[in-house]
Amino acid sequence: MRIAVTVKSIGKRKNALSRIPVELKQTPKTLRDLLEALVEWNIRGLVDKQQMISLVPYLTEGDVQEQAENGKVGFGAVYNENLPDCQKAIDTAIQAFEDGLYRVFIADDEAEELEAPLSLQEEDEVVLIRFTMLAGSLW
């Protein structure tokens, strides 16, 4: 199943939302299944990036310009060579959802229950909005 995922962090400098095409192995039946599938997809991408070796890394002028707009210019190297623990990452993502650190919208409707059935269709847009924690003290 192919979906489009958009991630937005409130308070980040980058205002543009980019749709990322994601190919899921199977159609998720619940929000929990969807979150697990997205975490697994993300980990596969990280592992692929860790294994990709560039003998002479370089940045084009366009790369530098684009990264400068985001606030960080770098070669995209992954310095942590340890493989991520998939189950631990899934547990963390589920816990963060339960704690209200991000919200999930599927085709403009908020998904609020982890075990509620989903009616996810091919090419649906899934939006994840991550909330920013405010620093300071309570009075």
Side-chain angles (χ1 to χ4, degrees):
M1 161 169 261
R2 189 172 181 85
I3 60 173
V5 176
T6 304
V7 178
K8 174 65 178 158
S9 294
I10 303 297
K12 290 287 186 182
R13 287 187 225 177
K14 184 178 174 185
N15 291 326
L17 300 176
S18 58
R19 295 177 59 163
I20 302 166
V22 175
E23 188 72 38
L24 301 177
K25 292 181 179 180
Q26 57 188 11
T27 303
K29 305 220 180 306
T30 64
L31 179 58
R32 180 182 301 274
D33 293 343
L34 175 62
L35 294 177
E36 289 175 1
L38 289 175
V39 169
E40 290 169 357
W41 177 83
N42 226 345
I43 287 176
R44 277 194 311 273
L46 176 64
V47 170
D48 290 346
K49 189 174 182 181
Q50 284 176 329
Q51 294 173 351
M52 190 172 56
I53 298 173
S54 177
L55 296 177
V56 182
Y58 66 92
L59 295 173
T60 65
E61 188 174 328
D63 293 337
V64 172
Q65 181 84 20
E66 182 181 332
Q67 291 183 24
E69 290 174 9
N70 293 334
K72 180 182 177 188
V73 177
F75 290 105
V78 178
Y79 296 106
N80 184 358
E81 296 177 3
N82 298 331
L83 293 176
D85 181 350
C86 191
Q87 189 55 52
K88 186 175 180 182
I90 289 170
D91 293 344
T92 301
I94 298 296
Q95 184 65 52
F97 178 80
E98 290 173 339
D99 290 346
L101 297 179
Y102 66 95
R103 299 282 173 100
V104 180
F105 294 86
I106 301 171
D108 295 331
D109 294 323
E110 185 175 2
E112 299 179 70
E113 300 285 330
L114 283 171
E115 301 304 332
L118 288 183
S119 58
L120 198 60
Q121 304 298 318
E122 194 77 24
E123 299 295 332
D124 267 355
E125 183 172 13
V126 176
V127 178
L128 299 151
I129 300 179
R130 183 173 47 199
F131 296 109
T132 303
M133 304 303 287
L134 298 176
S137 60
L138 297 173
W139 294 90

